[in-house]
Amino acid sequence: MGRSRVKIRLLGEPREEADTCLRGLLSQGFAADRKSLLPHDIATVAKSDILVVTGQFRPDFHTPANLSRLLGARRERTILFLSNVNPQYYTAFEQAGFLFINVTTDETVRSLAGLIAEVDPHVVYDASKTAAMRASMSDKIAHEVVDLFNRLRADPAAPKLEESKRQQRVMSELIGKSPMSVWIELIQNYHDGTAQHCSLVSGYTLAFARVLGAGEAQTGRLFDAAFFHDVGKAMIPLEILDKTGPLDAAEWEIMKRHVIYSYDILSRDAHTSGEIARVARDHHEYLDGSGYPNGIAAGQIDDITRIITICDIFAALTEKRAYKPPKPFDEAYSILLSMAGTKLDPDLVRLFGKVAEESSGRGWSVASAA
């Protein structure tokens, strides 16, 4: 029977510092979460887990006596990773049985990983394997999507539906093994902007399908629509797709044609014509009729298109491009909220808040859609 995976339990406040540390650990492949430095949370921690007391050092609370009382025998697998500790406390902590203390000013995850290795080197080894697996899977997704668009640029034949099914399997496994925030970080390292965007939209759609309680067949329909929604961009000149500044009016008119190209390409095959082609054509339409290409309004926009539109906008806002940094997830979701009721379905935007929260890697209360 295999050894159960050791988790890193971050204990402490303030929340922002603990969350920053948590995101760093997750991105490096560690199994980690955050708890409060309180008896009821500490009691839930397995004996094999590693505790990390983090946050700003508080001399009135982080005393050797108080931490010894809270952690008991667990201090043998506890790391004190507090910022702004007065060096005069180091000896007292060591005398109290705390053997792993960050005594440097380096408060990066790399420094913390070094201390974790001192506690249990197998944990760092397992994390490195997990990170390598994620990177390999994300590379597989990237290479196949880039290859798809290269083939479409050379010959705009309708892509085979099997490509979407294969990508869904790999992407579902990757997201299943990684928090959304870690998966997004991997995808954002793509060098091809169109591959990055289509993969992000597909991933957000998978996550949204779970939130919506979609069954296997419906999830497959949503993924197919998301994965192929921008195939028409293969027909847009690269100098427009890769432009580092804003598009001018003429360039924007060319860019908008991608939805018509998508519809044309996907309509060439019976497996992608119909719903998949229609979503690709209509995913920039808005409830108030202000979208393109046909300016259709609420009653003419079906639910699957409304879902893909929300995922598409959120991906565009949160992805990293040469011409813009990614927007923070809470800011991106606030933009969706501002569009709810006029351009976007308010009920779907409200439900998408769970995806936005998971994607941030933090806990934050989402507001209600209008």
Side-chain angles (χ1 to χ4, degrees):
M1 188 172 178
R3 180 172 62 92
S4 60
R5 194 171 186 199
V6 174
K7 290 187 176 180
I8 311 300
R9 309 286 193 172
L10 298 179
L11 308 175
E13 302 294 343
R15 187 186 193 102
E16 179 61 30
E17 291 191 12
D19 284 338
T20 299
C21 192
L22 174 60
R23 289 194 295 274
L25 286 172
L26 291 172
S27 70
Q28 296 297 315
F30 290 95
D33 62 15
R34 191 181 65 78
K35 293 180 176 292
S36 66
L37 188 54
L38 295 172
H40 66 271
D41 263 359
I42 295 171
T44 65
V45 175
K47 291 182 179 179
S48 61
D49 289 345
I50 296 174
L51 307 182
V52 179
V53 181
T54 188
Q56 289 281 343
F57 174 67
R58 289 169 46 194
D60 61 328
F61 179 74
H62 296 121
T63 64
N66 192 38
L67 292 181
S68 294
R69 177 182 59 79
L70 288 169
L71 300 168
R74 296 177 187 272
R75 60 185 179 274
E76 294 179 0
R77 290 179 70 82
T78 295
I79 296 170
L80 299 185
F81 202 70
L82 296 160
S83 57
N84 301 322
V85 180
N86 189 321
Q88 69 182 5
Y89 284 89
Y90 293 152
T91 300
F93 280 130
E94 290 173 351
Q95 291 175 344
F98 292 97
L99 306 177
F100 309 102
I101 308 168
N102 186 29
V103 297
T104 73
T105 57
D106 184 356
E107 296 168 9
T108 63
V109 172
R110 182 176 180 178
S111 178
L112 177 54
L115 290 167
I116 293 171
E118 291 185 36
V119 178
D120 188 341
H122 291 291
V123 177
V124 178
Y125 174 69
D126 288 343
S128 66
K129 288 199 301 182
T130 298
M133 177 275 297
R134 288 172 178 164
S136 176
M137 293 175 74
S138 65
D139 282 346
K140 181 177 181 181
I141 295 170
H143 291 156
E144 292 201 11
V145 179
V146 170
D147 179 64
L148 167 63
F149 278 89
N150 284 338
R151 284 188 283 111
L152 285 169
R153 288 177 185 118
D155 178 17
K160 299 301 181 185
L161 200 58
E162 288 77 11
E163 288 190 87
S164 174
K165 303 304 181 188
R166 184 170 60 249
Q167 288 290 71
Q168 183 183 346
R169 287 193 295 271
V170 178
M171 205 174 292
S172 295
E173 185 179 358
L174 178 55
I175 293 175
K177 292 177 180 292
S178 309
M180 280 295 292
S181 58
V182 173
W183 179 83
I184 289 164
E185 183 176 331
L186 288 169
I187 297 302
Q188 285 182 336
N189 289 326
Y190 284 6
H191 297 296
D192 184 288
T194 306
Q196 171 186 292
H197 177 70
C198 288
S199 297
L200 277 173
V201 174
S202 299
Y204 287 136
T205 301
L206 280 177
F208 201 10
R210 289 199 303 269
V211 170
L212 295 171
E216 183 177 350
Q218 189 175 11
T219 297
R221 288 173 55 216
L222 286 166
F223 187 89
D224 293 341
F227 186 70
F228 292 124
H229 82 285
D230 263 352
V231 294
K233 284 187 176 175
M235 303 294 100
I236 303 299
L238 290 176
E239 57 266 27
I240 292 179
L241 289 176
D242 297 335
K243 187 175 179 179
T244 57
L247 300 180
D248 61 32
E251 291 168 335
W252 177 237
E253 289 302 315
I254 294 172
M255 176 65 86
K256 289 197 295 185
R257 294 176 195 166
H258 80 274
V259 295
I260 300 300
Y261 296 145
S262 294
Y263 183 77
D264 178 56
I265 291 169
L266 295 169
S267 295
R268 296 174 188 178
D269 188 276
H271 293 99
T272 54
S273 62
E275 183 175 69
I276 295 174
R278 187 178 66 252
V279 172
R281 181 193 64 198
D282 295 346
H283 71 277
H284 285 290
E285 301 283 9
Y286 292 139
L287 300 184
D288 62 4
S290 64
Y292 67 87
N294 296 316
I296 61 176
Q300 300 166 288
I301 304 174
D302 58 18
D303 287 344
I304 191 169
T305 303
R306 296 181 186 205
I307 289 168
I308 300 305
T309 298
I310 290 170
C311 295
D312 180 62
I313 294 171
F314 195 72
L317 292 169
T318 58
E319 64 193 355
K320 179 171 58 179
R321 289 289 184 89
Y323 59 85
K324 75 172 187 71
K327 285 191 179 298
F329 295 96
D330 52 354
E331 182 181 341
Y333 184 63
S334 292
I335 292 173
L336 288 184
L337 286 173
S338 72
M339 301 172 71
T342 54
K343 298 182 182 298
L344 304 177
D345 186 299
D347 293 328
L348 289 173
V349 170
R350 175 178 55 81
L351 291 168
F352 190 82
K354 180 63 176 175
V355 178
E357 185 176 358
E358 290 175 354
S359 301
S360 74
R362 300 173 51 189
W364 44 274
S365 299
V366 297
S368 297

